[in-house]
mmCIF file of all heavy atoms in Angstrom:
data_model
loop_
_atom_site.group_PDB
_atom_site.id
_atom_site.type_symbol
_atom_site.label_atom_id
_atom_site.label_comp_id
_atom_site.label_asym_id
_atom_site.label_seq_id
_atom_site.Cartn_x
_atom_site.Cartn_y
_atom_site.Cartn_z
ATOM 1 N N ALA A 42 359.046 43.248 264.887
ATOM 2 C CA ALA A 42 360.058 44.268 265.107
ATOM 3 C C ALA A 42 359.675 45.552 264.391
ATOM 4 O O ALA A 42 359.045 45.540 263.341
ATOM 5 C CB ALA A 42 361.418 43.770 264.613
ATOM 6 N N THR A 43 360.072 46.664 264.942
ATOM 7 C CA THR A 43 359.788 47.961 264.345
ATOM 8 C C THR A 43 360.726 48.211 263.175
ATOM 9 O O THR A 43 361.947 48.106 263.319
ATOM 10 C CB THR A 43 359.959 49.079 265.393
ATOM 11 O OG1 THR A 43 359.099 48.789 266.486
ATOM 12 C CG2 THR A 43 359.628 50.426 264.792
ATOM 13 N N TRP A 44 360.184 48.525 261.951
ATOM 14 C CA TRP A 44 361.004 48.758 260.756
ATOM 15 C C TRP A 44 361.604 50.144 260.792
ATOM 16 O O TRP A 44 360.964 51.121 261.174
ATOM 17 C CB TRP A 44 360.150 48.611 259.502
ATOM 18 C CG TRP A 44 360.953 48.819 258.234
ATOM 19 C CD1 TRP A 44 361.660 47.892 257.544
ATOM 20 C CD2 TRP A 44 361.131 50.057 257.536
ATOM 21 N NE1 TRP A 44 362.267 48.454 256.458
ATOM 22 C CE2 TRP A 44 361.959 49.791 256.428
ATOM 23 C CE3 TRP A 44 360.678 51.358 257.752
ATOM 24 C CZ2 TRP A 44 362.337 50.773 255.531
ATOM 25 C CZ3 TRP A 44 361.057 52.331 256.856
ATOM 26 C CH2 TRP A 44 361.875 52.041 255.752
ATOM 27 N N GLU A 45 362.861 50.230 260.408
ATOM 28 C CA GLU A 45 363.537 51.516 260.297
ATOM 29 C C GLU A 45 364.218 51.574 258.944
ATOM 30 O O GLU A 45 364.714 50.564 258.442
ATOM 31 C CB GLU A 45 364.576 51.680 261.408
ATOM 32 C CG GLU A 45 363.980 51.819 262.788
ATOM 33 C CD GLU A 45 365.045 52.080 263.833
ATOM 34 O OE1 GLU A 45 366.223 52.177 263.432
ATOM 35 O OE2 GLU A 45 364.697 52.178 265.013
ATOM 36 N N PRO A 46 364.234 52.747 258.305
ATOM 37 C CA PRO A 46 364.895 52.872 257.000
ATOM 38 C C PRO A 46 366.393 52.669 257.138
ATOM 39 O O PRO A 46 366.952 52.888 258.209
ATOM 40 C CB PRO A 46 364.563 54.311 256.586
ATOM 41 C CG PRO A 46 364.319 55.025 257.866
ATOM 42 C CD PRO A 46 363.687 54.015 258.773
ATOM 43 N N PRO A 47 367.052 52.220 256.032
ATOM 44 C CA PRO A 47 368.511 52.041 256.093
ATOM 45 C C PRO A 47 369.203 53.374 256.323
ATOM 46 O O PRO A 47 368.804 54.402 255.790
ATOM 47 C CB PRO A 47 368.854 51.457 254.710
ATOM 48 C CG PRO A 47 367.707 51.845 253.840
ATOM 49 C CD PRO A 47 366.502 51.868 254.727
ATOM 50 N N ARG A 48 370.238 53.315 257.123
ATOM 51 C CA ARG A 48 370.992 54.522 257.450
ATOM 52 C C ARG A 48 372.372 54.451 256.819
ATOM 53 O O ARG A 48 372.984 53.384 256.741
ATOM 54 C CB ARG A 48 371.128 54.668 258.964
ATOM 55 C CG ARG A 48 369.805 54.629 259.724
ATOM 56 C CD ARG A 48 368.955 55.836 259.411
ATOM 57 N NE ARG A 48 367.726 55.829 260.220
ATOM 58 C CZ ARG A 48 366.765 56.729 260.107
ATOM 59 N NH1 ARG A 48 366.865 57.692 259.211
ATOM 60 N NH2 ARG A 48 365.701 56.661 260.873
ATOM 61 N N THR A 49 372.860 55.597 256.397
ATOM 62 C CA THR A 49 374.207 55.692 255.863
ATOM 63 C C THR A 49 375.182 55.861 257.014
ATOM 64 O O THR A 49 374.998 56.713 257.879
ATOM 65 C CB THR A 49 374.341 56.890 254.909
ATOM 66 O OG1 THR A 49 373.373 56.750 253.878
ATOM 67 C CG2 THR A 49 375.733 56.953 254.300
ATOM 68 N N THR A 50 376.205 55.023 257.021
ATOM 69 C CA THR A 50 377.191 55.105 258.081
ATOM 70 C C THR A 50 378.036 56.360 257.920
ATOM 71 O O THR A 50 378.089 56.977 256.846
ATOM 72 C CB THR A 50 378.101 53.872 258.079
ATOM 73 O OG1 THR A 50 378.849 53.854 256.850
ATOM 74 C CG2 THR A 50 377.274 52.596 258.180
ATOM 75 N N ALA A 51 378.723 56.699 259.005
ATOM 76 C CA ALA A 51 379.585 57.888 258.955
ATOM 77 C C ALA A 51 380.677 57.726 257.908
ATOM 78 O O ALA A 51 381.046 58.678 257.213
ATOM 79 C CB ALA A 51 380.192 58.144 260.341
ATOM 80 N N ALA A 52 381.210 56.500 257.784
ATOM 81 C CA ALA A 52 382.255 56.261 256.785
ATOM 82 C C ALA A 52 381.717 56.433 255.371
ATOM 83 O O ALA A 52 382.383 57.001 254.497
ATOM 84 C CB ALA A 52 382.828 54.856 256.959
ATOM 85 N N GLU A 53 380.496 55.961 255.113
ATOM 86 C CA GLU A 53 379.890 56.111 253.786
ATOM 87 C C GLU A 53 379.601 57.568 253.484
ATOM 88 O O GLU A 53 379.769 58.025 252.354
ATOM 89 C CB GLU A 53 378.608 55.282 253.700
ATOM 90 C CG GLU A 53 378.859 53.779 253.708
ATOM 91 C CD GLU A 53 377.569 52.990 253.784
ATOM 92 O OE1 GLU A 53 376.567 53.570 254.257
ATOM 93 O OE2 GLU A 53 377.558 51.812 253.382
ATOM 94 N N GLN A 54 379.152 58.309 254.485
ATOM 95 C CA GLN A 54 378.905 59.734 254.284
ATOM 96 C C GLN A 54 380.191 60.468 253.937
ATOM 97 O O GLN A 54 380.220 61.334 253.067
ATOM 98 C CB GLN A 54 378.272 60.336 255.541
ATOM 99 C CG GLN A 54 376.850 59.873 255.799
ATOM 100 C CD GLN A 54 376.301 60.429 257.090
ATOM 101 O OE1 GLN A 54 377.036 60.996 257.884
ATOM 102 N NE2 GLN A 54 374.996 60.259 257.299
ATOM 103 N N GLN A 55 381.277 60.107 254.598
ATOM 104 C CA GLN A 55 382.554 60.751 254.319
ATOM 105 C C GLN A 55 383.035 60.417 252.922
ATOM 106 O O GLN A 55 383.576 61.263 252.206
ATOM 107 C CB GLN A 55 383.598 60.304 255.353
ATOM 108 C CG GLN A 55 384.963 60.950 255.178
ATOM 109 C CD GLN A 55 384.927 62.438 255.446
ATOM 110 O OE1 GLN A 55 384.062 62.922 256.163
ATOM 111 N NE2 GLN A 55 385.861 63.169 254.855
ATOM 112 N N ALA A 56 382.810 59.141 252.494
ATOM 113 C CA ALA A 56 383.269 58.728 251.161
ATOM 114 C C ALA A 56 382.486 59.404 250.060
ATOM 115 O O ALA A 56 383.012 59.652 248.977
ATOM 116 C CB ALA A 56 383.160 57.211 251.041
ATOM 117 N N SER A 57 381.193 59.704 250.272
ATOM 118 C CA SER A 57 380.353 60.306 249.239
ATOM 119 C C SER A 57 380.324 61.819 249.295
ATOM 120 O O SER A 57 379.641 62.455 248.501
ATOM 121 C CB SER A 57 378.916 59.778 249.353
ATOM 122 O OG SER A 57 378.364 60.135 250.602
ATOM 123 N N ALA A 58 381.024 62.406 250.277
ATOM 124 C CA ALA A 58 381.044 63.864 250.373
ATOM 125 C C ALA A 58 381.743 64.457 249.169
ATOM 126 O O ALA A 58 382.703 63.882 248.649
ATOM 127 C CB ALA A 58 381.750 64.292 251.658
ATOM 128 N N PRO A 59 381.283 65.596 248.640
ATOM 129 C CA PRO A 59 381.936 66.227 247.495
ATOM 130 C C PRO A 59 383.398 66.514 247.785
ATOM 131 O O PRO A 59 383.754 66.966 248.875
ATOM 132 C CB PRO A 59 381.137 67.529 247.294
ATOM 133 C CG PRO A 59 379.833 67.266 247.960
ATOM 134 C CD PRO A 59 380.115 66.351 249.104
ATOM 135 N N VAL A 60 384.239 66.206 246.803
ATOM 136 C CA VAL A 60 385.663 66.441 246.950
ATOM 137 C C VAL A 60 386.012 67.753 246.271
ATOM 138 O O VAL A 60 385.780 67.928 245.079
ATOM 139 C CB VAL A 60 386.470 65.282 246.334
ATOM 140 C CG1 VAL A 60 387.951 65.543 246.480
ATOM 141 C CG2 VAL A 60 386.086 63.968 247.003
ATOM 142 N N ALA A 61 386.554 68.684 246.995
ATOM 143 C CA ALA A 61 386.882 69.992 246.449
ATOM 144 C C ALA A 61 388.355 70.064 246.108
ATOM 145 O O ALA A 61 389.173 69.284 246.580
ATOM 146 C CB ALA A 61 386.519 71.091 247.458
ATOM 147 N N ASP A 62 388.719 71.040 245.241
ATOM 148 C CA ASP A 62 390.124 71.248 244.915
ATOM 149 C C ASP A 62 390.897 71.730 246.139
ATOM 150 O O ASP A 62 392.095 71.477 246.278
ATOM 151 C CB ASP A 62 390.253 72.291 243.790
ATOM 152 C CG ASP A 62 389.658 71.774 242.495
ATOM 153 O OD1 ASP A 62 389.514 70.555 242.356
ATOM 154 O OD2 ASP A 62 389.348 72.603 241.630
ATOM 155 N N THR A 63 390.242 72.446 247.017
ATOM 156 C CA THR A 63 390.840 72.963 248.242
ATOM 157 C C THR A 63 389.933 72.600 249.405
ATOM 158 O O THR A 63 388.757 72.291 249.221
ATOM 159 C CB THR A 63 391.002 74.496 248.165
ATOM 160 O OG1 THR A 63 389.704 75.086 248.028
ATOM 161 C CG2 THR A 63 391.874 74.894 246.985
ATOM 162 N N PRO A 64 390.457 72.652 250.629
ATOM 163 C CA PRO A 64 389.595 72.307 251.764
ATOM 164 C C PRO A 64 388.369 73.193 251.877
ATOM 165 O O PRO A 64 387.332 72.758 252.355
ATOM 166 C CB PRO A 64 390.543 72.496 252.964
ATOM 167 C CG PRO A 64 391.913 72.301 252.400
ATOM 168 C CD PRO A 64 391.842 72.859 251.009
ATOM 169 N N ALA A 65 388.466 74.450 251.468
ATOM 170 C CA ALA A 65 387.324 75.357 251.569
ATOM 171 C C ALA A 65 386.308 75.042 250.476
ATOM 172 O O ALA A 65 386.659 74.576 249.400
ATOM 173 C CB ALA A 65 387.790 76.803 251.449
ATOM 174 N N PRO A 66 385.027 75.279 250.725
ATOM 175 C CA PRO A 66 383.998 75.041 249.700
ATOM 176 C C PRO A 66 384.254 75.877 248.449
ATOM 177 O O PRO A 66 384.690 77.028 248.532
ATOM 178 C CB PRO A 66 382.697 75.468 250.402
ATOM 179 C CG PRO A 66 383.002 75.407 251.857
ATOM 180 C CD PRO A 66 384.456 75.747 251.991
ATOM 181 N N ILE A 67 383.967 75.280 247.273
ATOM 182 C CA ILE A 67 384.196 75.968 246.003
ATOM 183 C C ILE A 67 382.998 76.858 245.697
ATOM 184 O O ILE A 67 381.867 76.392 245.642
ATOM 185 C CB ILE A 67 384.415 74.955 244.871
ATOM 186 C CG1 ILE A 67 385.673 74.132 245.142
ATOM 187 C CG2 ILE A 67 384.522 75.652 243.527
ATOM 188 C CD1 ILE A 67 385.937 73.076 244.108
ATOM 189 N N SER A 68 383.249 78.131 245.484
ATOM 190 C CA SER A 68 382.184 79.064 245.129
ATOM 191 C C SER A 68 382.296 79.519 243.684
ATOM 192 O O SER A 68 381.392 80.169 243.169
ATOM 193 C CB SER A 68 382.215 80.293 246.048
ATOM 194 O OG SER A 68 383.466 80.954 245.947
ATOM 195 N N SER A 69 383.410 79.193 243.016
ATOM 196 C CA SER A 69 383.606 79.610 241.634
ATOM 197 C C SER A 69 384.582 78.673 240.954
ATOM 198 O O SER A 69 385.509 78.146 241.598
ATOM 199 C CB SER A 69 384.131 81.048 241.586
ATOM 200 O OG SER A 69 384.485 81.404 240.261
ATOM 201 N N TYR A 70 384.376 78.470 239.641
ATOM 202 C CA TYR A 70 385.301 77.682 238.838
ATOM 203 C C TYR A 70 386.084 78.590 237.891
ATOM 204 O O TYR A 70 386.522 78.156 236.831
ATOM 205 C CB TYR A 70 384.520 76.626 238.045
ATOM 206 C CG TYR A 70 383.862 75.602 238.942
ATOM 207 C CD1 TYR A 70 382.518 75.710 239.267
ATOM 208 C CD2 TYR A 70 384.594 74.561 239.489
ATOM 209 C CE1 TYR A 70 381.912 74.783 240.115
ATOM 210 C CE2 TYR A 70 384.007 73.635 240.331
ATOM 211 C CZ TYR A 70 382.666 73.758 240.641
ATOM 212 O OH TYR A 70 382.073 72.848 241.479
ATOM 213 N N HIS A 71 386.253 79.826 238.300
ATOM 214 C CA HIS A 71 386.935 80.806 237.456
ATOM 215 C C HIS A 71 388.349 80.355 237.112
ATOM 216 O O HIS A 71 388.782 80.478 235.956
ATOM 217 C CB HIS A 71 386.970 82.161 238.154
ATOM 218 C CG HIS A 71 387.858 83.157 237.468
ATOM 219 N ND1 HIS A 71 387.479 83.815 236.310
ATOM 220 C CD2 HIS A 71 389.125 83.584 237.739
ATOM 221 C CE1 HIS A 71 388.457 84.612 235.918
ATOM 222 N NE2 HIS A 71 389.469 84.487 236.770
ATOM 223 N N ASN A 72 389.090 79.853 238.099
ATOM 224 C CA ASN A 72 390.473 79.463 237.841
ATOM 225 C C ASN A 72 390.555 78.327 236.826
ATOM 226 O O ASN A 72 391.413 78.333 235.937
ATOM 227 C CB ASN A 72 391.146 79.053 239.149
ATOM 228 C CG ASN A 72 391.325 80.220 240.103
ATOM 229 O OD1 ASN A 72 391.342 81.371 239.684
ATOM 230 N ND2 ASN A 72 391.453 79.927 241.388
ATOM 231 N N ALA A 73 389.659 77.344 236.954
ATOM 232 C CA ALA A 73 389.661 76.227 236.009
ATOM 233 C C ALA A 73 389.299 76.705 234.606
ATOM 234 O O ALA A 73 389.916 76.291 233.613
ATOM 235 C CB ALA A 73 388.684 75.147 236.471
#
Side-chain angles (χ1 to χ4, degrees):
T43 303
W44 181 87
E45 292 184 2
R48 306 293 184 183
T49 303
T50 64
E53 291 173 337
Q54 291 177 349
Q55 182 66 24
S57 62
V60 179
D62 294 340
T63 62
I67 297 178
S68 59
S69 173
Y70 295 99
H71 170 77
N72 293 338

